Amino acid sequence: MQQKLSLDLPDLEWVSLLKTQRAKGKSVSEIARECDMARPSVSMLINGTYPANSLDLATRKHGARVLRLYRDQMMCPHLQRGISAEDCRAFASAPMSTSDPDRLDQWIACKNCPLNPLKQAEEN
């Protein structure tokens, strides 16, 4: 028996972006064509029925492409919601706050975030 994605687990960012595109009214076929993915795979990812034991492979194969295509709205791991790329860059480049605990938490999260655009620019 194959394990399925649990609906109560947090979504991977790239899967959330697929779901966002579907919520915007795009068809599953259209999303699949844009991402160069098989239509059934996109459908299973969006519906949370993709085999969990294949999810790592799908992430390595398709995750980066999906993020490049749809990153105009990205999932902030700290805030647990989508933010624009400009907001992400502003959070990442903001100075450390010593007076606002929420801003300090955001600053710490950004410094450790694998999606931090400043870290990605340094790596490239």
Side-chain angles (χ1 to χ4, degrees):
M1 177 188 246
Q2 290 182 331
Q3 292 178 334
K4 304 292 182 185
L5 281 176
S6 175
L7 297 176
D8 59 345
L9 290 176
D11 283 334
L12 297 170
E13 178 186 5
W14 72 277
V15 175
S16 294
L17 292 171
L18 293 175
K19 291 178 180 182
T20 299
Q21 294 303 308
R22 182 69 182 112
K24 289 180 179 179
K26 287 186 181 180
S27 70
V28 173
S29 295
E30 184 178 4
I31 296 167
R33 273 192 305 275
E34 289 175 350
C35 298
D36 195 25
M37 294 176 66
R39 188 212 168 282
S41 295
V42 173
S43 179
M44 288 188 291
L45 286 163
I46 289 171
N47 293 315
T49 58
Y50 197 84
N53 58 349
S54 300
L55 194 54
D56 286 341
L57 176 62
T59 298
R60 286 192 303 274
K61 188 173 180 182
H62 303 293
R65 184 180 317 115
V66 171
L67 291 173
R68 275 194 309 272
L69 284 170
Y70 302 129
R71 196 167 237 170
D72 60 320
Q73 189 73 39
M74 57 192 302
M75 183 62 100
C76 175
H78 175 71
L79 296 175
Q80 297 293 311
R81 63 179 173 84
I83 61 172
S84 69
E86 295 82 29
D87 286 344
C88 179
R89 184 170 289 284
F91 283 135
S93 62
M96 182 178 80
S97 174
T98 57
S99 60
D100 183 342
D102 292 332
R103 287 182 54 207
L104 178 60
D105 288 344
Q106 181 72 51
W107 183 85
I108 292 168
C110 287
K111 296 303 172 207
N112 296 313
C113 183
L115 304 174
N116 182 326
L118 303 179
K119 287 168 78 172
Q120 291 176 348
E122 289 173 6
E123 292 171 3
N124 294 334

